[in-house]
Amino acid sequence: MVTNIEISGFTEEVLEALVKAGIYGSKTEAIRDAIRRLLESYDLKEISLRAYKNGGISFQLAVEISGLSMDELTWYFLSRDTTPLLGSDNASEIVSGEEQLKSRDSITFDLSSLYAVLELNALDLLSQLGKKLSISSKTMERAKALVLRLSKAKGVAYTLSSFDIVNINKSLMEFSRRNGISLQEAHSIYIAKKLNGILVSDDAKTRQVSRSYGVPAVPTLSLLSYARSQGLVNNNYFKELVMKMATIPFMVPKDFIG
């Protein structure tokens, strides 16, 4: 997205002087540096918290703004008495999502659901579903650091080899800006729609945006419930996964824990 800025008078004269003095190569370079310095003067995690609490952005966009990892920002939000709307505590939504998964052959993941799957150590389970698994190249860019960090923390060499990496040539900047989501979320929704598939996202706002554009979206718990219905997960293991999800911490229905 391109933003045009009108500058005149004294400010423009100063910019010209900075260029003539050899401090900057151009007025554009000087403006970019000024904006960078301005942003550095703010606490970006606090800015992301305020924007999220105002309901204007998804948690995943808040993560990108803050420059923190998903778990770091989650615990920062919790320390500020704000619970991120991640996962789902709505049993009806989870059961409905399970039914939707039965009729779709293609599943697209965004960063939030990929994070959940890695935390649950459930990558092998995904490969047993018999579904086409996809992530966008934008999600893959964001996921690299996540995969390395969790691999080191858990002592497991995670790979995303079971996923098709999909490149999107269409500009979705305006779509992401208008809906208050990150570009990787926008790409994930677009891919799910293009493949006539379903989006798995643990970000409540992302699911809401996806559904508003006619793209079905479900939380990771629906995926686990579907795996159980297919005999890939027994009841005890399902409850264990639900308990692990609650400690991430993601929202889960209370009756799924008991």
Side-chain angles (χ1 to χ4, degrees):
M1 182 174 65
V2 177
T3 300
N4 296 316
I5 303 174
E6 290 188 13
I7 296 176
S8 60
F10 174 74
T11 303
E12 186 174 21
E13 291 174 357
V14 173
L15 288 173
E16 290 279 8
L18 288 170
V19 173
K20 289 178 179 178
I23 298 174
Y24 294 102
S26 66
K27 288 188 287 185
T28 298
E29 182 183 337
I31 292 169
R32 285 175 177 165
D33 187 51
I35 293 173
R36 179 183 60 79
R37 291 171 185 267
L38 173 66
L39 293 177
E40 287 178 348
S41 70
Y42 286 99
D43 183 347
L44 293 182
K45 64 180 183 295
E46 180 65 22
I47 296 298
S48 70
L49 172 65
R50 291 186 184 184
Y52 185 77
K53 288 178 70 173
N54 289 338
I57 64 173
S58 68
F59 183 74
Q60 293 178 92
L61 179 54
V63 169
E64 292 199 6
I65 292 170
S66 71
L68 301 177
S69 65
M70 285 197 68
D71 50 348
E72 287 173 333
L73 191 63
T74 295
W75 291 109
Y76 175 73
F77 273 30
L78 292 173
S79 73
R80 297 296 304 278
D81 296 321
T82 300
T83 301
L85 297 180
L86 297 171
S88 176
D89 58 2
N90 187 327
S92 296
E93 179 187 24
I94 294 165
V95 172
S96 174
E98 177 189 337
E99 291 302 313
Q100 289 178 300
L101 284 162
K102 292 178 180 178
S103 62
R104 303 278 175 160
D105 294 325
S106 176
I107 304 175
T108 301
F109 292 76
D110 68 2
L111 190 65
S112 67
S113 55
L114 197 58
Y115 171 68
V117 169
L118 288 169
E119 283 282 6
L120 296 174
N121 196 21
L123 280 176
D124 288 342
L125 178 60
L126 296 185
S127 63
Q128 300 175 48
L129 294 174
K131 306 279 189 180
K132 177 183 175 66
L133 309 176
S134 302
I135 56 175
S136 74
S137 56
K138 286 291 182 183
T139 301
M140 186 63 179
E141 289 174 11
R142 300 285 300 169
K144 287 179 180 178
L146 172 65
V147 170
L148 288 173
R149 182 175 58 77
L150 290 179
S151 292
K152 183 176 181 180
K154 296 179 180 294
V156 178
Y158 290 119
T159 65
L160 303 179
S161 57
S162 57
F163 292 87
D164 288 339
I165 313 300
V166 183
N167 291 300
I168 300 297
N169 297 319
K170 183 176 181 179
S171 176
L172 296 175
M173 286 293 295
E174 176 58 24
F175 176 83
S176 61
R177 184 199 64 78
R178 185 170 65 250
N179 290 286
I181 61 176
S182 67
L183 196 54
Q184 69 86 14
E185 293 168 87
H187 280 216
S188 299
I189 293 171
Y190 182 84
I191 291 168
K193 185 170 185 177
K194 185 178 180 181
L195 297 177
N196 191 31
I198 193 165
L199 175 70
V200 179
S201 175
D202 282 299
D203 193 315
K205 183 174 179 64
T206 313
R207 295 198 302 272
Q208 180 185 30
V209 171
S210 183
R211 291 165 183 162
S212 72
Y213 286 91
V215 181
V218 303
T220 296
L221 263 180
S222 291
L223 195 65
L224 299 179
S225 187
Y226 170 76
R228 180 177 59 172
S229 74
Q230 300 301 302
L232 301 174
V233 173
N234 61 38
N235 286 332
N236 288 336
Y237 185 39
F238 177 77
K239 288 183 178 181
E240 180 183 331
L241 291 172
V242 172
M243 288 294 294
K244 284 183 179 179
M245 181 164 282
T247 62
I248 291 178
F250 277 13
M251 297 182 296
V252 300
K254 292 181 179 179
D255 56 345
F256 276 39
I257 299 176

